[in-house]
């Protein structure tokens, strides 16, 4: 919601509200409530039904034992009997019998022995609480109560009143929040402006924003809550869709990329260099990319394909589309190790061709680096491979036409790299392709990734056997290592992954310690080496090279090997403390084996300590399908976390749930698309535009239109 300047209530700082104590103010602030507007946006997470009953008999007859959220009932009666607690009873139960003309009700208080003294026989009291069943009798435990004046008229029964329950914190209770909200609600609601016209709302079949908040804070029925909630959830979904669609529109209108060449001749020239046949899916995604890059509309495509599905060769095709068009291409990898490996793969595939390839790593001398920079900016180099950091620093290209980012398992798609041309026109940008081995669940691909075109490789190259995955408890680790010895005896190699480089009082072994340990215990005759992230890259590279050559039998590694290491002779991966790894990470790690003709095995050593860790292990054992794993990950972690909010700077939705509100999301998406198509400036929706810029201007980079 947004507020106009001359109207005040919504803008009032809660810190300036006289009715609140210091503790309450800081408690509210810990709930992210600073202004009245924040307070109004603070929605109940559930509702309780409060019902007053005319008689005990009526209350009992309405009681339903099987409901999950029993009503809170209030009843009047006379205290008939008081049973104080026994001194030695564990629960210190005080039992009181409440009576009226119709019936009697047992009230119990636990661990409050002093309460017995507060009552006297024949007191008229009103009690409030939930009824429950105990040994076939209906009773009420720990009720709230108040004395009733004899002259007071007994209130009549009602159908039940819905009372909101708010997220609260230590210094302020839900009912205090409720009272506070009620005290400002009417005035605040009258100030909320809608960004949709009455006509539009009628067409959408939605209440006004103001009414929606009223329905959430003061509903009369459950269906009012869902009507109000639906409008607010819709707005959240719609605003992001609108931002994404606007971004897409802006990019297509204001930016252009070089149109590249792609025809049979190029196709065949590449085919001649590859010793295998492309899978159907590889061919399909290459054509999808080609369709994009042969036009001047900048490509913005995500290529998702499971570990080992063959994305690198697709990237090669995309890069060569640029090279045959006399332009440059860049491939960015998340780690140096992976950049080096991509470089080797691509170099092997291009051997003997005139394509000039360069690898940019942190280990080259500054003189070499200077020379490389010059070759890149003069256009001498056709393809540059490096890490994200190295490539984006101060490198200028002569004519960069396509940038490929190998994200592997990361969701940070939004921090798109900006590679530029020397002295170039900033409206000319390269086509971009992001590759990921962790597919984005469908719901997410429709939200903040909604401006990406998506290409998918579903099938693996022929002849692969799925990796067998087993969960093993630490007690049985011995069996796993014996199996490793057998594999090595057959000429195979094995990875052992450990979570940390150094022991930081966690009781976890460091990679180095672990290696000594394993050597002494199991691998006296085998050759065993360590790689980890703190090693110098030449050192690491030399170990990796020897592993690739088959000179090392067992490679102990931290997660540096997670990304893309390709040694087909390695058939076993043992992951120690597997419960400490994320699902996507485990899946990546597992992808290091089963890359050749021999079947791969993945052993997860862990005794999971949390339910989530157990679920992760179960999921990874049960399926090898990266798409299912991504969906499972979303399920276990919840959309809030996986939403990638941290990386993208986009706050997760407060009300909408991308999974449960899938239909609403689709609806919002269609509407947003139509709206931007009809009127990209949103000229007739000034307030909507203002709210859009306020919410997503920075994170989506929409600021320039405001
Ligand atoms: P990822 O998608 O994980 O990056 P890679 O591109 O590293 O996968 O490919 C994995 C392995 O599969 C590589 O050794 C690659 O040469 C091989 N490969 C890729 N495509 C095919 C294919 N169509 N037929 C056979 N092998 C292939
Ligand atoms: Mg790869």
């Amino acid at each position: 919601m947004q507020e106009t300047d001359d109207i005040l209530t919504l803008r009032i700082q809660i810190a300036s509200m006289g009715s609140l104590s210091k503790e309450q103010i800081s408690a509210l602030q810990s709930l992210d409530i600073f202004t009245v507007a924040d307070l109004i946006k603070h929605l109940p997470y559930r509702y309780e039904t409060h019902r007053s009953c005319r008689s005990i008999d009526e209350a009992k007859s309405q009681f339903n034992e099987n409901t999950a959220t029993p009503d809170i009932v209030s009843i009047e009666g006379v205290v008939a009997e008081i049973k104080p607690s026994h001194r030695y009873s564990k629960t210190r139960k005080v039992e009181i019998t409440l009576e009226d003309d119709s019936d009697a009700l047992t009230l119990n208080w636990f661990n409050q022995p002093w309460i017995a003294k507060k009552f006297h026989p024949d007191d008229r009291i009103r009690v409030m609480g939930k009824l429950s069943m105990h040994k076939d009798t209906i009773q009420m435990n720990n009720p709230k109560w108040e004395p009733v004046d004899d002259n007071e008229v007994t209130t009549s029964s009602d159908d039940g009143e819905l009372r909101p329950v708010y997220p609260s914190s230590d210094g302020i209770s839900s009912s205090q929040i409720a009272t506070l909200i009620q005290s400002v609600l009417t005035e605040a609601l009258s100030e909320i402006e809608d960004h949709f016209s009455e006509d539009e709302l009628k067409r959408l079949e939605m209440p006004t924003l103001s009414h929606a908040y009223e329905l959430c804070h003061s509903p009369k029925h459950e269906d009012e809550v869902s009507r109000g909630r639906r409008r607010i959830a819709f707005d959240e979904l719609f605003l992001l869709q609108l931002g994404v669609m606007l971004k897409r529109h802006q990019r297509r209108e204001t930016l252009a990329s070089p149109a590249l060449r792609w025809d049979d001749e190029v196709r065949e020239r590449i085919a001649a260099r590859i010793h295998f046949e492309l899978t159907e899916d590889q061919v399909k995604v290459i054509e999808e990319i080609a369709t994009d890059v042969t036009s001047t509309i900048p490509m913005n495509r995500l290529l998702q394909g499971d570990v080992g599905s063959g994305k690198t060769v697709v990237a090669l095709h995309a890069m060569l589309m640029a090279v045959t068009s006399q332009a440059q291409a860049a491939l960015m990898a998340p780690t140096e190790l992976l950049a080096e490996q991509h470089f080797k793969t691509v170099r092997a595939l291009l051997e003997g061709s005139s394509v000039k390839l360069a690898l940019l790593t942190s280990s080259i001398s500054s003189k070499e680096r200077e020379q490389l920079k010059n070759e890149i900016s003069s256009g001498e180099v056709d393809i540059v491979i490096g890490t994200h950091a190295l490539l984006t620093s101060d490198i200028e290209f002569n004519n960069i036409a396509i940038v490929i980012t190998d994200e592997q398992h990361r969701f940070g798609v939004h921090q798109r790299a900006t590679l530029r041309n020397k002295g170039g026109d900033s409206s000319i940008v390269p086509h971009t392709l992001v590759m990921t081995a962790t597919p984005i669940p469908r719901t997410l691909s429709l939200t903040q990734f909604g401006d990406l075109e998506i290409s998918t490789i579903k099938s693996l190259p022929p002849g692969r056997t799925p990796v067998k995955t087993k969960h093993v408890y630490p007690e049985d680790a011995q069996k796993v290592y014996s199996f490793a010895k057998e594999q090595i005896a057959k000429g195979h190699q094995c990875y052992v992954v450990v979570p940390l480089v150094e022991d930081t009082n966690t009781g976890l072994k460091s990679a180095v310690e672990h290696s000594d340990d394993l050597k002494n215990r199991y691998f006296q005759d085998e050759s065993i080496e360590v790689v980890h992230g703190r090693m110098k890259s030449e050192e690491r590279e030399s170990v990796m090279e020897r592993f690739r050559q088959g000179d090392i039998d067992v490679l102990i590694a931290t997660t540096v090997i997670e990304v893309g290491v390709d040694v087909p002779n390695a058939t076993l991966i043992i992951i120690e403390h597997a419960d400490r790894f994320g699902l996507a990470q485990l899946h990546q790690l597992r992808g290091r084996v089963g890359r050749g003709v021999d079947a791969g095995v993945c052993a997860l050593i862990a005794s999971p300590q949390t339910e989530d860790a157990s679920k992760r292990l179960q999921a990874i054992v049960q399926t090898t399908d990266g798409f299912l794993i991504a969906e499972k990950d979303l399920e276990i972690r919840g959309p809030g976390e996986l939403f990638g909010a941290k990386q993208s700077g986009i706050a997760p939705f407060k009300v909408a749930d991308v999974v449960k509100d899938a239909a609403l999301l689709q609806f919002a998406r269609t509407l947003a698309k139509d709206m931007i198509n009809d009127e990209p400036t949103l000229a007739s929706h000034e307030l909507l535009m203002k709210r859009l810029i306020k919410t997503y201007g920075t994170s989506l980079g929409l600021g320039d239109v405001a």
Side-chain angles (χ1 to χ4, degrees), residues 229 237 240-241 441-444 446-448 634 638-640 643 653 655-666:
R229 195 199 151 276
L237 297 166
L240 180 54
Q241 289 301 315
R442 217 187 102 71
T443 43
L444 294 182
L446 290 178
T447 52
Q448 92 233 47
L634 179 67
F643 197 58
F653 299 133
V655 177
D657 174 328
V658 288
V659 179
K660 290 194 193 117
D661 293 320
L664 200 59
L665 169 61
Q666 199 56 60

PDB file of all heavy atoms in Angstrom, residues 229 237 240-241 441-444 446-448 634 638-640 643 653 655-666:
ATOM      1  N   ARG A 229      -7.484 -12.299   1.625  1.00  0.00           N
ATOM      2  CA  ARG A 229      -6.152 -12.860   1.442  1.00  0.00           C
ATOM      3  C   ARG A 229      -5.830 -13.023  -0.045  1.00  0.00           C
ATOM      4  O   ARG A 229      -4.722 -12.758  -0.500  1.00  0.00           O
ATOM      5  CB  ARG A 229      -6.108 -14.226   2.129  1.00  0.00           C
ATOM      6  CG  ARG A 229      -4.729 -14.744   2.336  1.00  0.00           C
ATOM      7  CD  ARG A 229      -4.745 -16.247   2.582  1.00  0.00           C
ATOM      8  NE  ARG A 229      -3.503 -16.812   2.109  1.00  0.00           N
ATOM      9  CZ  ARG A 229      -3.278 -17.159   0.861  1.00  0.00           C
ATOM     10  NH1 ARG A 229      -4.223 -17.048  -0.051  1.00  0.00           N
ATOM     11  NH2 ARG A 229      -2.105 -17.625   0.501  1.00  0.00           N
ATOM     12  N   LEU A 237       1.878 -11.289  -6.256  1.00  0.00           N
ATOM     13  CA  LEU A 237       2.274 -12.038  -7.443  1.00  0.00           C
ATOM     14  C   LEU A 237       2.263 -11.142  -8.672  1.00  0.00           C
ATOM     15  O   LEU A 237       3.174 -11.154  -9.495  1.00  0.00           O
ATOM     16  CB  LEU A 237       1.322 -13.224  -7.650  1.00  0.00           C
ATOM     17  CG  LEU A 237       1.323 -14.282  -6.541  1.00  0.00           C
ATOM     18  CD1 LEU A 237       0.119 -15.205  -6.680  1.00  0.00           C
ATOM     19  CD2 LEU A 237       2.617 -15.086  -6.592  1.00  0.00           C
ATOM     20  N   LEU A 240       5.230  -8.538  -9.035  1.00  0.00           N
ATOM     21  CA  LEU A 240       6.490  -9.113  -9.501  1.00  0.00           C
ATOM     22  C   LEU A 240       6.391  -9.489 -10.990  1.00  0.00           C
ATOM     23  O   LEU A 240       7.302  -9.235 -11.772  1.00  0.00           O
ATOM     24  CB  LEU A 240       6.869 -10.344  -8.666  1.00  0.00           C
ATOM     25  CG  LEU A 240       8.178 -11.027  -9.068  1.00  0.00           C
ATOM     26  CD1 LEU A 240       9.344 -10.046  -9.100  1.00  0.00           C
ATOM     27  CD2 LEU A 240       8.512 -12.174  -8.123  1.00  0.00           C
ATOM     28  N   GLN A 241       5.253 -10.048 -11.382  1.00  0.00           N
ATOM     29  CA  GLN A 241       5.070 -10.388 -12.792  1.00  0.00           C
ATOM     30  C   GLN A 241       5.149  -9.141 -13.663  1.00  0.00           C
ATOM     31  O   GLN A 241       5.746  -9.141 -14.724  1.00  0.00           O
ATOM     32  CB  GLN A 241       3.702 -11.054 -13.009  1.00  0.00           C
ATOM     33  CG  GLN A 241       3.598 -12.443 -12.442  1.00  0.00           C
ATOM     34  CD  GLN A 241       4.621 -13.375 -13.026  1.00  0.00           C
ATOM     35  OE1 GLN A 241       4.839 -13.410 -14.228  1.00  0.00           O
ATOM     36  NE2 GLN A 241       5.298 -14.124 -12.181  1.00  0.00           N
ATOM     37  N   PRO A 441      12.442 -25.099 -10.353  1.00  0.00           N
ATOM     38  CA  PRO A 441      11.083 -25.631 -10.317  1.00  0.00           C
ATOM     39  C   PRO A 441      10.142 -24.716 -11.092  1.00  0.00           C
ATOM     40  O   PRO A 441      10.328 -23.509 -11.126  1.00  0.00           O
ATOM     41  CB  PRO A 441      10.742 -25.654  -8.832  1.00  0.00           C
ATOM     42  CG  PRO A 441      12.058 -25.712  -8.138  1.00  0.00           C
ATOM     43  CD  PRO A 441      13.013 -24.958  -9.004  1.00  0.00           C
ATOM     44  N   ARG A 442       9.134 -25.325 -11.680  1.00  0.00           N
ATOM     45  CA  ARG A 442       8.239 -24.603 -12.571  1.00  0.00           C
ATOM     46  C   ARG A 442       7.670 -23.338 -11.938  1.00  0.00           C
ATOM     47  O   ARG A 442       7.650 -22.280 -12.545  1.00  0.00           O
ATOM     48  CB  ARG A 442       7.094 -25.521 -12.979  1.00  0.00           C
ATOM     49  CG  ARG A 442       6.657 -25.346 -14.402  1.00  0.00           C
ATOM     50  CD  ARG A 442       5.423 -26.167 -14.679  1.00  0.00           C
ATOM     51  NE  ARG A 442       4.230 -25.331 -14.676  1.00  0.00           N
ATOM     52  CZ  ARG A 442       3.951 -24.454 -15.632  1.00  0.00           C
ATOM     53  NH1 ARG A 442       4.768 -24.295 -16.644  1.00  0.00           N
ATOM     54  NH2 ARG A 442       2.874 -23.727 -15.572  1.00  0.00           N
ATOM     55  N   THR A 443       7.249 -23.469 -10.709  1.00  0.00           N
ATOM     56  CA  THR A 443       6.644 -22.314 -10.056  1.00  0.00           C
ATOM     57  C   THR A 443       7.616 -21.140  -9.983  1.00  0.00           C
ATOM     58  O   THR A 443       7.240 -20.000 -10.164  1.00  0.00           O
ATOM     59  CB  THR A 443       6.225 -22.665  -8.621  1.00  0.00           C
ATOM     60  OG1 THR A 443       7.264 -23.412  -8.027  1.00  0.00           O
ATOM     61  CG2 THR A 443       4.948 -23.447  -8.610  1.00  0.00           C
ATOM     62  N   LEU A 444       8.887 -21.456  -9.735  1.00  0.00           N
ATOM     63  CA  LEU A 444       9.863 -20.373  -9.631  1.00  0.00           C
ATOM     64  C   LEU A 444      10.197 -19.816 -11.002  1.00  0.00           C
ATOM     65  O   LEU A 444      10.456 -18.629 -11.155  1.00  0.00           O
ATOM     66  CB  LEU A 444      11.135 -20.861  -8.946  1.00  0.00           C
ATOM     67  CG  LEU A 444      10.993 -21.248  -7.482  1.00  0.00           C
ATOM     68  CD1 LEU A 444      12.332 -21.658  -6.919  1.00  0.00           C
ATOM     69  CD2 LEU A 444      10.415 -20.103  -6.680  1.00  0.00           C
ATOM     70  N   LEU A 446       8.282 -19.269 -13.170  1.00  0.00           N
ATOM     71  CA  LEU A 446       7.222 -18.327 -13.526  1.00  0.00           C
ATOM     72  C   LEU A 446       7.300 -17.047 -12.705  1.00  0.00           C
ATOM     73  O   LEU A 446       6.624 -16.085 -12.981  1.00  0.00           O
ATOM     74  CB  LEU A 446       5.849 -18.960 -13.306  1.00  0.00           C
ATOM     75  CG  LEU A 446       5.478 -20.073 -14.260  1.00  0.00           C
ATOM     76  CD1 LEU A 446       4.114 -20.642 -13.910  1.00  0.00           C
ATOM     77  CD2 LEU A 446       5.478 -19.580 -15.698  1.00  0.00           C
ATOM     78  N   THR A 447       8.084 -17.035 -11.650  1.00  0.00           N
ATOM     79  CA  THR A 447       8.108 -15.830 -10.826  1.00  0.00           C
ATOM     80  C   THR A 447       9.322 -14.978 -11.143  1.00  0.00           C
ATOM     81  O   THR A 447       9.359 -14.300 -12.150  1.00  0.00           O
ATOM     82  CB  THR A 447       8.012 -16.178  -9.333  1.00  0.00           C
ATOM     83  OG1 THR A 447       8.997 -17.142  -9.014  1.00  0.00           O
ATOM     84  CG2 THR A 447       6.653 -16.730  -9.004  1.00  0.00           C
ATOM     85  N   GLN A 448      10.345 -15.009 -10.310  1.00  0.00           N
ATOM     86  CA  GLN A 448      11.389 -14.031 -10.576  1.00  0.00           C
ATOM     87  C   GLN A 448      12.238 -14.386 -11.776  1.00  0.00           C
ATOM     88  O   GLN A 448      12.949 -13.552 -12.287  1.00  0.00           O
ATOM     89  CB  GLN A 448      12.260 -13.785  -9.357  1.00  0.00           C
ATOM     90  CG  GLN A 448      13.464 -14.646  -9.285  1.00  0.00           C
ATOM     91  CD  GLN A 448      13.483 -15.312  -7.943  1.00  0.00           C
ATOM     92  OE1 GLN A 448      12.472 -15.839  -7.499  1.00  0.00           O
ATOM     93  NE2 GLN A 448      14.591 -15.274  -7.277  1.00  0.00           N
ATOM     94  N   LEU A 634      12.607 -27.778  -3.052  1.00  0.00           N
ATOM     95  CA  LEU A 634      11.643 -26.697  -2.842  1.00  0.00           C
ATOM     96  C   LEU A 634      10.684 -27.081  -1.718  1.00  0.00           C
ATOM     97  O   LEU A 634      10.347 -26.278  -0.854  1.00  0.00           O
ATOM     98  CB  LEU A 634      10.867 -26.435  -4.134  1.00  0.00           C
ATOM     99  CG  LEU A 634       9.788 -25.348  -4.077  1.00  0.00           C
ATOM    100  CD1 LEU A 634      10.404 -23.994  -3.867  1.00  0.00           C
ATOM    101  CD2 LEU A 634       8.968 -25.336  -5.359  1.00  0.00           C
ATOM    102  N   GLY A 638      11.066 -25.142   1.528  1.00  0.00           N
ATOM    103  CA  GLY A 638       9.994 -24.156   1.457  1.00  0.00           C
ATOM    104  C   GLY A 638      10.361 -23.090   0.455  1.00  0.00           C
ATOM    105  O   GLY A 638      11.539 -22.770   0.282  1.00  0.00           O
ATOM    106  N   PRO A 639       9.363 -22.531  -0.221  1.00  0.00           N
ATOM    107  CA  PRO A 639       9.656 -21.597  -1.300  1.00  0.00           C
ATOM    108  C   PRO A 639      10.390 -20.357  -0.820  1.00  0.00           C
ATOM    109  O   PRO A 639      11.192 -19.805  -1.532  1.00  0.00           O
ATOM    110  CB  PRO A 639       8.294 -21.249  -1.880  1.00  0.00           C
ATOM    111  CG  PRO A 639       7.291 -21.754  -0.911  1.00  0.00           C
ATOM    112  CD  PRO A 639       7.941 -22.763  -0.034  1.00  0.00           C
ATOM    113  N   GLY A 640      10.139 -19.947   0.407  1.00  0.00           N
ATOM    114  CA  GLY A 640      10.774 -18.729   0.910  1.00  0.00           C
ATOM    115  C   GLY A 640      12.266 -18.767   0.725  1.00  0.00           C
ATOM    116  O   GLY A 640      12.866 -17.849   0.182  1.00  0.00           O
ATOM    117  N   PHE A 643      13.606 -19.437  -2.970  1.00  0.00           N
ATOM    118  CA  PHE A 643      13.236 -18.365  -3.858  1.00  0.00           C
ATOM    119  C   PHE A 643      14.457 -17.582  -4.314  1.00  0.00           C
ATOM    120  O   PHE A 643      14.432 -16.841  -5.261  1.00  0.00           O
ATOM    121  CB  PHE A 643      12.265 -17.462  -3.089  1.00  0.00           C
ATOM    122  CG  PHE A 643      11.485 -16.545  -3.949  1.00  0.00           C
ATOM    123  CD1 PHE A 643      10.690 -17.049  -4.940  1.00  0.00           C
ATOM    124  CD2 PHE A 643      11.554 -15.187  -3.758  1.00  0.00           C
ATOM    125  CE1 PHE A 643       9.954 -16.204  -5.741  1.00  0.00           C
ATOM    126  CE2 PHE A 643      10.819 -14.333  -4.552  1.00  0.00           C
ATOM    127  CZ  PHE A 643      10.020 -14.847  -5.553  1.00  0.00           C
ATOM    128  N   PHE A 653       7.537 -13.492  -0.927  1.00  0.00           N
ATOM    129  CA  PHE A 653       6.172 -13.031  -0.706  1.00  0.00           C
ATOM    130  C   PHE A 653       5.780 -13.219   0.748  1.00  0.00           C
ATOM    131  O   PHE A 653       6.174 -14.178   1.381  1.00  0.00           O
ATOM    132  CB  PHE A 653       5.209 -13.820  -1.587  1.00  0.00           C
ATOM    133  CG  PHE A 653       5.485 -13.671  -3.049  1.00  0.00           C
ATOM    134  CD1 PHE A 653       5.527 -14.783  -3.871  1.00  0.00           C
ATOM    135  CD2 PHE A 653       5.700 -12.422  -3.610  1.00  0.00           C
ATOM    136  CE1 PHE A 653       5.782 -14.657  -5.227  1.00  0.00           C
ATOM    137  CE2 PHE A 653       5.951 -12.283  -4.956  1.00  0.00           C
ATOM    138  CZ  PHE A 653       5.989 -13.403  -5.771  1.00  0.00           C
ATOM    139  N   VAL A 655       2.400 -13.139   1.720  1.00  0.00           N
ATOM    140  CA  VAL A 655       1.109 -13.824   1.771  1.00  0.00           C
ATOM    141  C   VAL A 655       1.025 -14.934   0.726  1.00  0.00           C
ATOM    142  O   VAL A 655       0.600 -16.041   1.007  1.00  0.00           O
ATOM    143  CB  VAL A 655      -0.035 -12.806   1.573  1.00  0.00           C
ATOM    144  CG1 VAL A 655      -1.385 -13.492   1.556  1.00  0.00           C
ATOM    145  CG2 VAL A 655       0.019 -11.745   2.674  1.00  0.00           C
ATOM    146  N   ALA A 656       1.438 -14.629  -0.488  1.00  0.00           N
ATOM    147  CA  ALA A 656       1.286 -15.597  -1.571  1.00  0.00           C
ATOM    148  C   ALA A 656       2.217 -16.781  -1.359  1.00  0.00           C
ATOM    149  O   ALA A 656       3.300 -16.652  -0.812  1.00  0.00           O
ATOM    150  CB  ALA A 656       1.597 -14.929  -2.909  1.00  0.00           C
ATOM    151  N   ASP A 657       1.772 -17.936  -1.796  1.00  0.00           N
ATOM    152  CA  ASP A 657       2.559 -19.147  -1.734  1.00  0.00           C
ATOM    153  C   ASP A 657       2.609 -19.683  -3.160  1.00  0.00           C
ATOM    154  O   ASP A 657       1.588 -20.095  -3.711  1.00  0.00           O
ATOM    155  CB  ASP A 657       1.853 -20.124  -0.787  1.00  0.00           C
ATOM    156  CG  ASP A 657       2.500 -21.495  -0.745  1.00  0.00           C
ATOM    157  OD1 ASP A 657       3.060 -21.933  -1.782  1.00  0.00           O
ATOM    158  OD2 ASP A 657       2.437 -22.141   0.313  1.00  0.00           O
ATOM    159  N   VAL A 658       3.798 -19.632  -3.756  1.00  0.00           N
ATOM    160  CA  VAL A 658       3.868 -19.943  -5.186  1.00  0.00           C
ATOM    161  C   VAL A 658       3.388 -21.350  -5.508  1.00  0.00           C
ATOM    162  O   VAL A 658       3.000 -21.633  -6.638  1.00  0.00           O
ATOM    163  CB  VAL A 658       5.280 -19.732  -5.768  1.00  0.00           C
ATOM    164  CG1 VAL A 658       5.591 -18.268  -5.877  1.00  0.00           C
ATOM    165  CG2 VAL A 658       6.329 -20.465  -4.983  1.00  0.00           C
ATOM    166  N   VAL A 659       3.435 -22.227  -4.529  1.00  0.00           N
ATOM    167  CA  VAL A 659       2.978 -23.590  -4.798  1.00  0.00           C
ATOM    168  C   VAL A 659       1.452 -23.670  -4.680  1.00  0.00           C
ATOM    169  O   VAL A 659       0.766 -24.086  -5.610  1.00  0.00           O
ATOM    170  CB  VAL A 659       3.664 -24.597  -3.859  1.00  0.00           C
ATOM    171  CG1 VAL A 659       3.165 -26.002  -4.126  1.00  0.00           C
ATOM    172  CG2 VAL A 659       5.184 -24.528  -4.020  1.00  0.00           C
ATOM    173  N   LYS A 660       0.932 -23.194  -3.546  1.00  0.00           N
ATOM    174  CA  LYS A 660      -0.520 -23.299  -3.336  1.00  0.00           C
ATOM    175  C   LYS A 660      -1.295 -22.323  -4.212  1.00  0.00           C
ATOM    176  O   LYS A 660      -2.430 -22.584  -4.594  1.00  0.00           O
ATOM    177  CB  LYS A 660      -0.854 -23.030  -1.866  1.00  0.00           C
ATOM    178  CG  LYS A 660      -0.394 -24.147  -0.952  1.00  0.00           C
ATOM    179  CD  LYS A 660      -1.037 -24.004   0.425  1.00  0.00           C
ATOM    180  CE  LYS A 660      -0.355 -24.906   1.431  1.00  0.00           C
ATOM    181  NZ  LYS A 660       0.283 -24.164   2.518  1.00  0.00           N
ATOM    182  N   ASP A 661      -0.701 -21.174  -4.497  1.00  0.00           N
ATOM    183  CA  ASP A 661      -1.408 -20.172  -5.291  1.00  0.00           C
ATOM    184  C   ASP A 661      -1.027 -20.232  -6.765  1.00  0.00           C
ATOM    185  O   ASP A 661      -1.007 -19.213  -7.454  1.00  0.00           O
ATOM    186  CB  ASP A 661      -1.122 -18.764  -4.742  1.00  0.00           C
ATOM    187  CG  ASP A 661      -1.718 -18.545  -3.361  1.00  0.00           C
ATOM    188  OD1 ASP A 661      -2.846 -19.008  -3.123  1.00  0.00           O
ATOM    189  OD2 ASP A 661      -1.061 -17.923  -2.514  1.00  0.00           O
ATOM    190  N   ALA A 662      -0.715 -21.438  -7.238  1.00  0.00           N
ATOM    191  CA  ALA A 662      -0.239 -21.577  -8.614  1.00  0.00           C
ATOM    192  C   ALA A 662      -1.229 -21.001  -9.628  1.00  0.00           C
ATOM    193  O   ALA A 662      -0.834 -20.352 -10.591  1.00  0.00           O
ATOM    194  CB  ALA A 662       0.068 -23.036  -8.923  1.00  0.00           C
ATOM    195  N   ALA A 663      -2.522 -21.230  -9.396  1.00  0.00           N
ATOM    196  CA  ALA A 663      -3.527 -20.749 -10.346  1.00  0.00           C
ATOM    197  C   ALA A 663      -3.575 -19.218 -10.339  1.00  0.00           C
ATOM    198  O   ALA A 663      -3.666 -18.575 -11.387  1.00  0.00           O
ATOM    199  CB  ALA A 663      -4.896 -21.326 -10.007  1.00  0.00           C
ATOM    200  N   LEU A 664      -3.488 -18.663  -9.164  1.00  0.00           N
ATOM    201  CA  LEU A 664      -3.508 -17.206  -9.016  1.00  0.00           C
ATOM    202  C   LEU A 664      -2.271 -16.596  -9.694  1.00  0.00           C
ATOM    203  O   LEU A 664      -2.336 -15.546 -10.325  1.00  0.00           O
ATOM    204  CB  LEU A 664      -3.523 -16.861  -7.525  1.00  0.00           C
ATOM    205  CG  LEU A 664      -4.007 -15.475  -7.107  1.00  0.00           C
ATOM    206  CD1 LEU A 664      -5.433 -15.229  -7.567  1.00  0.00           C
ATOM    207  CD2 LEU A 664      -3.900 -15.306  -5.595  1.00  0.00           C
ATOM    208  N   LEU A 665      -1.159 -17.292  -9.577  1.00  0.00           N
ATOM    209  CA  LEU A 665       0.088 -16.850 -10.196  1.00  0.00           C
ATOM    210  C   LEU A 665      -0.059 -16.798 -11.717  1.00  0.00           C
ATOM    211  O   LEU A 665       0.326 -15.830 -12.370  1.00  0.00           O
ATOM    212  CB  LEU A 665       1.219 -17.811  -9.798  1.00  0.00           C
ATOM    213  CG  LEU A 665       2.540 -17.701 -10.533  1.00  0.00           C
ATOM    214  CD1 LEU A 665       3.165 -16.330 -10.332  1.00  0.00           C
ATOM    215  CD2 LEU A 665       3.504 -18.781 -10.051  1.00  0.00           C
ATOM    216  N   GLN A 666      -0.644 -17.842 -12.267  1.00  0.00           N
ATOM    217  CA  GLN A 666      -0.844 -17.901 -13.711  1.00  0.00           C
ATOM    218  C   GLN A 666      -1.737 -16.744 -14.160  1.00  0.00           C
ATOM    219  O   GLN A 666      -1.481 -16.099 -15.169  1.00  0.00           O
ATOM    220  CB  GLN A 666      -1.468 -19.259 -14.053  1.00  0.00           C
ATOM    221  CG  GLN A 666      -1.335 -19.661 -15.495  1.00  0.00           C
ATOM    222  CD  GLN A 666       0.109 -19.673 -15.972  1.00  0.00           C
ATOM    223  OE1 GLN A 666       0.941 -20.401 -15.429  1.00  0.00           O
ATOM    224  NE2 GLN A 666       0.436 -18.856 -16.978  1.00  0.00           N
TER     225      GLN A 666
END
